[in-house]
Amino acid sequence: MDETSASFHPAFEQSHSSIKKPSKTVYFMRQELNQILNVYGKMVAACEWHDYAIDHLDDMAIFSIHRRASEMPLYRIIKEPALAGKQGMWRILGMNNQILKRGRDLKTMLKYFDRRLFKSVN
């Protein structure tokens, strides 16, 4: 290909500079999902939770936990990489969208549910 081809032509660059590049969708990594599903499995065994949903959006990934499939989520575990340098990319939201826990380390964040597990065993 020579330098006069369309991809090197200044007019081509200007006319196609307005094309929107695809956004990068946020996903849970395998290790993250394994940690979340480990806690989820314990709570299912304790008959506390019965359903979940996973959403992958442009700016965040959400793991929603439901008592029943027809209800609003009890908890949402959210991964938002844009906040990694600020408050941490992980947060747990309750039913009323209140932030229950926020941080940088998922494993530490998931310890929030240990208290719930012990309450259901007693």
Side-chain angles (χ1 to χ4, degrees), residues 27-35 56 79 90 106:
Y27 294 99
F28 290 110
M29 304 304 287
R30 182 182 303 248
Q31 182 182 15
E32 297 165 347
L33 199 53
N34 284 341
Q35 290 176 18
H56 300 283
K79 175 184 178 181
W90 295 100
L106 177 61

Side-chain angles (χ1 to χ4, degrees), residues 50-104:
H50 297 284
D51 198 15
Y52 71 89
I54 299 174
D55 296 303
H56 300 283
L57 307 173
D58 288 343
D59 57 345
M60 68 180 71
I62 305 170
F63 188 95
S64 301
I65 301 163
H66 302 265
R67 184 171 294 142
R68 291 177 194 85
S70 61
E71 293 181 356
M72 295 290 293
L74 293 172
Y75 301 101
R76 283 177 284 161
I77 301 168
I78 300 175
K79 175 184 178 181
E80 192 170 4
L83 298 178
K86 297 177 182 176
Q87 306 120 343
M89 78 169 132
W90 295 100
R91 69 180 182 267
I92 298 172
L93 295 182
M95 286 182 74
N96 299 324
N97 289 328
Q98 72 273 23
I99 297 174
L100 303 174
K101 190 106 171 132
R102 181 189 303 264
R104 291 175 166 61

